[in-house]
Amino acid sequence: MDPIAAAVYRGHIFHIAGSATVADAATHLQSIPDGALAVGADGVIAYCGPYTHLPQAYSAWPSHDHRGGFLLPGFIDTHMHFPQVCCTDSYGGGQLLEWLERCIFPAEARLADPVLAQRAAAAFCRRRIAAGTTAAMVMGSAFPQAQEALFTATRAAGLRLVTGRGVQTVGPESAEPLLTTTEYAIELCSREIESWHGDTLTDVALVPRFSLSVTADTLAALGELYDGVRADGVYFHSHLNENARPGTGEVDTTLSAYGVKSYLDTYDGHFLPGSRKGGATLLGRRSILAHAVHCQDAELARLAETGSSIAHCPTSQLFLGSGTMPWRRTVASGVNIALGTDVGGGDEWLLTRVLNDCFKVHMSEPASAAVSLHPAELLFTATLAGARALDREDTFGNLDMGKDADFLIIDPDRWEPLADSLSHGVQSDDEQLAAEQTLFRLLMGLREPAISSVLVRGRDLTGYLDGDR
């Protein structure tokens, strides 16, 4: 890629500074109405603060004036499905397991076609850029050529990506094209790690679709492989406790199939009947489990103990009738909660649309469980919590000096309803509350057209949308 030029960006800055948790995100919220973000030629943030305090050393740098607009950290999506790029709003007449069998498995099988796979990879990158998703944990395709297309397109686009081929060794008839033996799955995963892990922008994860898509032998083999590559920073990603329809839902079916006491046991090496140990744990600081809607208290405690994270996906949970992750109880466990679109179970690519659903579903939890999330908590889950889940908090996730310049430029005038809400909505005379009200309106009302630029390491990626790359 071409080198970038050092520059100063001026606008209203919002970010969660420092090393916050969701519980204290409000105290770490920085709102700088006339802010300056100085980005060096190395793509690193040299200064973030009031424009009037911009150090003299940066005053001669080219300046981009976005006053009236906003500078936000890039959004971090901790759960997406690449082979479901064309699967949003798929009607299957059922909840999770029926939807997978009738809609998703047949659709994912089509990526065996390398031409379609390349088209899907390019579309996946375009939609990420349009939505301001600078980093993502992505469940990959079962087909090696489709994964190659995804890595290649992502590198060309300049986005950050963690992904791994979707491992399935058992499944219904509609999933047959996606299935491999355990031995071949491990071979393909090992090749992917050797080829793509540890690049500047790309990393690899071990990604069994969920416990029902593999066997105890597969989990044992994945644990053995993970023991050998964990120190190299390889990730683990899968689903957990998503759908609990009594008797026939994902949770009960998993407990019955494995004979275990908890769903999490299957990822924690205790996947033999009675939750006996059968292999190495897949949990840890670079492990992200999607959904966690129906967790036992012991499961949440174990996730927190191991440093694993949850990818919270309220939009897809609404779409598939999976229920609502209990916010207060999950936060109280101490586990890190990041945000995921779950495209295509989720039908929104823009994380702030997922935040919109997040706010509403938790406001609607029963009785004392209900909570009105603070706008700083919302921003935190879509940015810094995601960086923490990816174990990259030292590199990106907010706009602290010394971090890579992964950020968005928001121009409200490109989306009239947002501009009107920000300009003419009722605003408090209290400065702090007024800032929180502005951030809330921005997060709730943002749509893709208002994202005018998406930068990763100081490089504007929006040219990719026009086919300039």
Side-chain angles (χ1 to χ4, degrees):
M1 290 186 175
D2 296 334
I4 66 169
V8 174
Y9 299 84
R10 188 175 184 182
H12 190 154
I13 292 173
F14 277 117
H15 76 127
I16 308 299
S19 186
T21 66
V22 69
D24 62 6
T27 63
H28 286 257
L29 174 64
Q30 284 202 350
S31 170
I32 312 171
D34 186 12
L37 194 68
V39 179
D42 56 358
V44 173
I45 297 170
Y47 172 80
C48 177
Y51 183 81
T52 54
H53 296 166
L54 181 69
Q56 184 67 29
Y58 313 129
S59 61
W61 289 5
S63 182
H64 303 281
D65 193 342
H66 299 287
R67 281 177 291 179
F70 299 87
L71 309 179
L72 299 178
F75 297 138
I76 301 169
D77 192 333
T78 55
H79 184 55
M80 310 179 77
H81 291 258
F82 159 54
Q84 295 175 24
V85 62
C86 301
C87 294
T88 56
D89 300 310
S90 294
Y91 177 66
Q95 293 187 353
L96 176 64
L97 298 184
E98 295 89 349
W99 176 78
L100 286 171
E101 185 169 352
R102 297 170 187 169
C103 302
I104 298 306
F105 293 151
E108 291 194 6
R110 294 176 182 172
L111 290 196
D113 177 354
V115 175
L116 180 59
Q118 288 182 0
R119 179 177 177 180
F124 191 78
C125 292
R126 286 196 304 271
R127 291 174 197 177
R128 278 188 55 190
I129 293 171
T133 302
T134 53
M137 169 65 83
V138 178
M139 301 201 88
S141 171
F143 304 109
Q145 73 274 12
Q147 283 296 95
E148 290 287 311
L150 176 61
F151 279 114
T152 301
T154 301
R155 178 178 285 177
L159 290 162
R160 297 187 189 274
L161 173 73
V162 181
T163 187
R165 70 176 310 274
V167 175
Q168 289 186 255
T169 55
V170 292
E173 184 178 348
S174 63
E176 246 180 67
L178 308 173
L179 306 184
T180 67
T181 64
T182 291
E183 293 74 19
Y184 191 45
I186 296 300
E187 180 184 336
L188 291 175
C189 289
S190 299
R191 282 189 209 164
E192 192 169 59
I193 292 167
E194 290 172 9
S195 298
W196 292 103
H197 183 68
D199 183 80
T200 304
L201 296 174
T202 62
D203 284 299
V204 174
L206 299 182
V207 185
R209 183 188 291 275
F210 60 162
S211 295
L212 291 175
S213 72
V214 295
T215 65
D217 286 344
T218 311
L219 287 170
L222 286 170
E224 184 177 352
L225 174 58
Y226 201 38
D227 269 357
V229 297
R230 186 191 290 266
D232 298 323
V234 172
Y235 293 80
F236 172 74
H237 186 46
S238 195
H239 297 86
L240 174 70
N241 289 323
E242 180 177 1
N243 186 284
R245 184 173 52 189
T248 59
E250 170 218 15
V251 176
D252 282 356
T253 304
T254 301
L255 298 181
S256 175
Y258 282 89
V260 292
K261 299 172 185 176
S262 79
Y263 196 145
L264 188 65
D265 284 343
T266 62
Y267 300 130
D268 202 11
H270 294 269
F271 45 74
L272 298 180
S275 290
R276 290 182 293 112
K277 188 171 178 62
T281 185
L282 294 163
L283 305 182
R285 197 171 63 184
R286 288 197 167 193
S287 299
I288 302 176
L289 281 303
H291 302 295
V293 177
H294 305 285
C295 286
Q296 303 170 24
D297 287 345
E299 290 176 296
L300 293 175
R302 180 61 176 159
L303 288 171
E305 176 190 9
T306 58
S308 306
S309 292
I310 289 171
H312 181 31
C313 307
T315 299
S316 73
Q317 287 151 23
L318 286 168
F319 181 78
L320 292 170
S322 299
T324 300
M325 184 198 80
W327 183 267
R328 291 185 188 274
R329 185 166 73 91
T330 308
V331 168
S333 74
V335 65
N336 180 50
I337 304 167
L339 202 67
T341 57
D342 195 21
V343 164
D347 59 351
E348 295 284 358
W349 289 80
L350 180 59
L351 274 179
T352 56
R353 300 306 299 147
V354 181
L355 287 179
N356 190 295
D357 285 334
C358 185
F359 180 81
K360 293 170 182 174
V361 298
H362 296 304
M363 179 75 88
S364 301
E365 288 193 63
S368 60
V371 57
S372 175
L373 295 179
H374 192 281
E377 294 175 308
L378 297 172
L379 182 61
F380 173 81
T381 61
T383 56
L384 191 57
R388 185 167 299 158
L390 294 175
D391 196 27
R392 297 297 301 278
E393 186 179 355
D394 60 337
T395 307
F396 54 85
N398 61 18
L399 303 179
D400 284 351
M401 186 174 68
K403 292 193 178 182
D404 284 358
D406 293 10
F407 67 101
L408 313 178
I409 300 171
I410 310 297
D411 180 358
D413 289 337
R414 293 162 59 109
W415 182 250
E416 184 181 6
L418 176 62
D420 284 348
S421 174
L422 291 167
S423 297
H424 305 299
V426 174
Q427 197 86 333
S428 173
D429 293 330
D430 178 82
E431 183 177 347
Q432 179 178 334
L433 179 55
E436 294 165 354
Q437 290 172 329
T438 297
L439 177 59
F440 187 77
R441 287 192 179 102
L442 179 61
L443 295 177
M444 293 296 102
L446 184 64
R447 301 293 191 278
E448 281 93 337
I451 302 175
S452 63
S453 293
V454 178
L455 295 94
V456 172
R457 301 177 73 212
R459 180 172 284 105
D460 193 340
L461 310 185
T462 46
Y464 188 88
L465 298 175
D466 303 321
D468 292 344
R469 293 181 182 268

Coordinates of all heavy atoms in Angstrom, one line a residue, residues 81-120:
H81 N -20.3 -13.9 10.2 CA -20.2 -15.1 9.4 C -19.9 -14.7 8.0 O -20.8 -14.2 7.3 CB -21.5 -15.9 9.4 CG -21.8 -16.5 10.8 ND1 -21.5 -17.9 11.0 CD2 -22.3 -16.0 11.9 CE1 -21.9 -18.2 12.3 NE2 -22.4 -17.0 12.8
F82 N -18.7 -14.9 7.5 CA -18.4 -14.6 6.1 C -19.2 -15.3 5.1 O -19.8 -14.7 4.2 CB -16.9 -14.8 5.8 CG -16.5 -15.0 4.4 CD1 -16.9 -14.1 3.4 CD2 -15.9 -16.2 4.0 CE1 -16.6 -14.3 2.1 CE2 -15.5 -16.4 2.6 CZ -15.9 -15.4 1.7
P83 N -19.4 -16.6 5.2 CA -20.2 -17.3 4.2 C -21.7 -17.0 4.2 O -22.5 -17.5 3.4 CB -20.0 -18.8 4.5 CG -19.5 -18.9 5.9 CD -18.9 -17.6 6.2
Q84 N -22.1 -16.1 5.2 CA -23.5 -15.7 5.2 C -23.7 -14.3 4.7 O -24.7 -13.6 5.1 CB -24.1 -15.8 6.7 CG -24.1 -17.3 7.1 CD -24.5 -17.4 8.6 OE1 -25.2 -16.6 9.2 NE2 -24.1 -18.5 9.2
V85 N -22.7 -13.8 4.0 CA -22.7 -12.4 3.5 C -24.0 -12.1 2.7 O -24.5 -11.0 2.7 CB -21.5 -12.1 2.6 CG1 -21.5 -13.0 1.4 CG2 -21.4 -10.7 2.2
C86 N -24.6 -13.1 2.1 CA -25.9 -12.9 1.3 C -27.1 -13.5 2.0 O -28.1 -13.7 1.4 CB -25.7 -13.5 -0.1 SG -24.4 -12.8 -1.1
C87 N -26.9 -13.8 3.3 CA -28.0 -14.6 4.0 C -28.8 -13.8 5.0 O -29.6 -14.4 5.7 CB -27.3 -15.8 4.7 SG -26.6 -17.0 3.6
T88 N -28.6 -12.5 5.1 CA -29.4 -11.8 6.0 C -30.9 -11.8 5.6 O -31.2 -11.9 4.4 CB -29.0 -10.3 6.1 OG1 -29.0 -9.7 4.7 CG2 -27.6 -10.1 6.6
D89 N -31.8 -11.9 6.6 CA -33.2 -11.9 6.3 C -33.6 -13.2 5.6 O -34.6 -13.2 4.8 CB -33.7 -10.7 5.6 CG -33.4 -9.4 6.4 OD1 -33.7 -9.3 7.6 OD2 -32.8 -8.5 5.8
S90 N -33.0 -14.3 5.9 CA -33.4 -15.6 5.3 C -34.6 -16.1 6.1 O -34.5 -16.3 7.3 CB -32.2 -16.6 5.4 OG -31.2 -16.2 4.5
Y91 N -35.6 -16.5 5.4 CA -36.8 -17.0 6.1 C -36.8 -18.5 6.1 O -36.9 -19.1 5.0 CB -38.1 -16.5 5.3 CG -39.4 -17.0 5.9 CD1 -39.8 -16.6 7.2 CD2 -40.2 -17.9 5.2 CE1 -40.9 -17.1 7.7 CE2 -41.4 -18.4 5.7 CZ -41.7 -18.0 7.0 OH -42.9 -18.5 7.5
G92 N -36.8 -19.0 7.3 CA -36.7 -20.5 7.4 C -37.9 -21.1 8.2 O -38.0 -22.3 8.4
G93 N -38.8 -20.2 8.7 CA -39.9 -20.7 9.4 C -39.6 -21.4 10.7 O -40.4 -22.2 11.2
G94 N -38.5 -21.0 11.3 CA -38.2 -21.6 12.6 C -37.1 -20.9 13.4 O -36.7 -19.8 12.9
Q95 N -36.7 -21.5 14.5 CA -35.6 -20.9 15.3 C -34.3 -21.4 14.8 O -34.2 -21.9 13.7 CB -35.9 -21.1 16.8 CG -37.1 -20.4 17.3 CD -37.3 -20.5 18.8 OE1 -36.6 -21.2 19.4 NE2 -38.3 -19.7 19.3
L96 N -33.3 -21.3 15.6 CA -31.9 -21.5 15.2 C -31.6 -22.8 14.4 O -31.2 -22.8 13.3 CB -31.0 -21.5 16.4 CG -29.5 -21.8 16.1 CD1 -28.9 -20.7 15.2 CD2 -28.7 -21.9 17.4
L97 N -32.0 -24.0 15.0 CA -31.6 -25.2 14.3 C -32.3 -25.4 13.0 O -31.7 -25.9 12.0 CB -31.8 -26.4 15.3 CG -31.0 -26.4 16.6 CD1 -31.2 -27.6 17.4 CD2 -29.5 -26.2 16.3
E98 N -33.6 -25.1 12.9 CA -34.3 -25.2 11.7 C -33.8 -24.2 10.7 O -33.7 -24.5 9.5 CB -35.8 -24.9 11.9 CG -36.5 -25.9 12.8 CD -36.5 -25.5 14.3 OE1 -35.7 -24.6 14.6 OE2 -37.2 -26.2 15.0
W99 N -33.5 -23.0 11.1 CA -33.0 -21.9 10.2 C -31.6 -22.4 9.6 O -31.4 -22.2 8.4 CB -32.8 -20.7 11.0 CG -32.2 -19.5 10.3 CD1 -32.8 -18.6 9.4 CD2 -30.9 -19.0 10.5 NE1 -31.9 -17.6 9.1 CE2 -30.8 -17.8 9.7 CE3 -29.8 -19.4 11.3 CZ2 -29.6 -17.1 9.7 CZ3 -28.7 -18.6 11.3 CH2 -28.5 -17.5 10.5
L100 N -30.8 -23.0 10.4 CA -29.5 -23.5 9.9 C -29.7 -24.5 8.8 O -29.1 -24.5 7.7 CB -28.7 -24.1 11.0 CG -28.0 -23.1 12.0 CD1 -27.4 -23.8 13.2 CD2 -26.9 -22.2 11.4
E101 N -30.6 -25.5 9.1 CA -30.8 -26.6 8.2 C -31.4 -26.2 6.9 O -31.0 -26.6 5.8 CB -31.6 -27.7 8.9 CG -31.7 -29.0 8.1 CD -32.3 -30.1 8.9 OE1 -32.4 -30.0 10.1 OE2 -32.6 -31.1 8.2
R102 N -32.4 -25.3 7.0 CA -33.2 -24.9 5.8 C -32.6 -23.8 5.0 O -32.7 -23.8 3.8 CB -34.6 -24.5 6.2 CG -35.4 -25.6 6.9 CD -36.7 -25.0 7.5 NE -37.4 -26.0 8.3 CZ -38.4 -25.7 9.1 NH1 -38.8 -24.5 9.2 NH2 -39.0 -26.7 9.8
C103 N -31.9 -22.9 5.7 CA -31.4 -21.7 5.0 C -29.9 -21.6 4.9 O -29.3 -21.4 3.8 CB -31.9 -20.4 5.7 SG -33.7 -20.3 5.8
I104 N -29.2 -21.8 6.0 CA -27.8 -21.4 6.1 C -26.9 -22.5 5.5 O -26.0 -22.2 4.8 CB -27.4 -21.1 7.6 CG1 -28.3 -19.9 8.0 CG2 -25.9 -20.8 7.7 CD1 -28.2 -18.7 7.1
F105 N -27.1 -23.8 5.9 CA -26.2 -24.8 5.4 C -26.2 -24.8 3.8 O -25.1 -24.8 3.2 CB -26.5 -26.2 5.9 CG -26.3 -26.3 7.4 CD1 -27.0 -27.2 8.2 CD2 -25.3 -25.6 8.1 CE1 -26.8 -27.3 9.6 CE2 -25.0 -25.7 9.4 CZ -25.8 -26.6 10.2
P106 N -27.4 -24.8 3.2 CA -27.4 -24.8 1.7 C -26.7 -23.6 1.1 O -26.1 -23.6 0.1 CB -28.9 -24.9 1.4 CG -29.6 -25.4 2.6 CD -28.8 -24.9 3.8
A107 N -26.9 -22.4 1.8 CA -26.4 -21.2 1.3 C -24.8 -21.2 1.4 O -24.1 -20.8 0.5 CB -26.9 -20.0 2.0
E108 N -24.3 -21.6 2.5 CA -22.9 -21.7 2.7 C -22.2 -22.7 1.8 O -21.1 -22.5 1.4 CB -22.6 -22.0 4.2 CG -22.9 -20.9 5.2 CD -22.3 -21.2 6.5 OE1 -21.5 -22.1 6.7 OE2 -22.6 -20.4 7.5
A109 N -22.9 -23.7 1.4 CA -22.4 -24.7 0.5 C -22.1 -24.1 -0.9 O -21.2 -24.6 -1.6 CB -23.3 -25.9 0.3
R110 N -22.7 -23.0 -1.3 CA -22.5 -22.4 -2.6 C -21.1 -21.8 -2.7 O -20.7 -21.6 -3.8 CB -23.6 -21.4 -2.8 CG -25.0 -21.9 -2.9 CD -26.0 -20.8 -3.1 NE -27.4 -21.4 -3.2 CZ -28.5 -20.7 -3.1 NH1 -28.4 -19.3 -3.1 NH2 -29.7 -21.2 -3.2
L111 N -20.5 -21.5 -1.6 CA -19.1 -20.9 -1.7 C -18.1 -21.9 -2.1 O -16.9 -21.6 -2.2 CB -18.7 -20.3 -0.4 CG -19.5 -19.0 0.0 CD1 -18.7 -18.3 1.1 CD2 -19.7 -18.1 -1.1
A112 N -18.5 -23.2 -2.4 CA -17.6 -24.1 -3.1 C -17.2 -23.6 -4.5 O -16.2 -23.9 -5.0 CB -18.2 -25.5 -3.2
D113 N -18.1 -22.7 -5.0 CA -17.8 -22.1 -6.3 C -16.8 -21.0 -6.1 O -17.1 -20.0 -5.4 CB -19.1 -21.5 -6.9 CG -18.9 -20.8 -8.2 OD1 -17.8 -20.6 -8.6 OD2 -19.9 -20.4 -8.8
P114 N -15.6 -21.1 -6.6 CA -14.5 -20.0 -6.4 C -14.9 -18.7 -6.9 O -14.5 -17.7 -6.3 CB -13.3 -20.6 -7.1 CG -13.8 -21.6 -8.0 CD -15.0 -22.2 -7.5
V115 N -15.7 -18.6 -8.0 CA -16.1 -17.3 -8.5 C -17.0 -16.6 -7.5 O -16.9 -15.4 -7.2 CB -16.7 -17.4 -9.9 CG1 -17.3 -16.1 -10.4 CG2 -15.7 -18.0 -10.9
L116 N -18.0 -17.4 -7.0 CA -18.9 -16.8 -6.0 C -18.2 -16.4 -4.8 O -18.5 -15.4 -4.1 CB -20.1 -17.8 -5.8 CG -21.1 -17.3 -4.7 CD1 -21.8 -16.0 -5.2 CD2 -22.1 -18.4 -4.5
A117 N -17.2 -17.3 -4.4 CA -16.5 -17.0 -3.1 C -15.7 -15.7 -3.2 O -15.7 -14.9 -2.3 CB -15.5 -18.1 -2.9
Q118 N -15.1 -15.4 -4.4 CA -14.4 -14.2 -4.6 C -15.3 -13.0 -4.5 O -15.0 -11.9 -4.0 CB -13.6 -14.2 -5.9 CG -12.4 -15.1 -5.9 CD -11.6 -15.1 -7.1 OE1 -12.0 -14.4 -8.1 NE2 -10.5 -15.8 -7.2
R119 N -16.5 -13.1 -5.2 CA -17.5 -12.1 -5.1 C -18.0 -11.8 -3.7 O -18.1 -10.7 -3.3 CB -18.6 -12.4 -6.0 CG -19.8 -11.4 -6.1 CD -20.9 -11.8 -7.0 NE -21.9 -10.9 -7.0 CZ -23.1 -10.9 -7.7 NH1 -23.2 -12.0 -8.6 NH2 -24.0 -10.0 -7.7
A120 N -18.2 -12.9 -3.0 CA -18.7 -12.8 -1.6 C -17.6 -12.1 -0.7 O -17.9 -11.2 0.1 CB -19.0 -14.1 -1.0

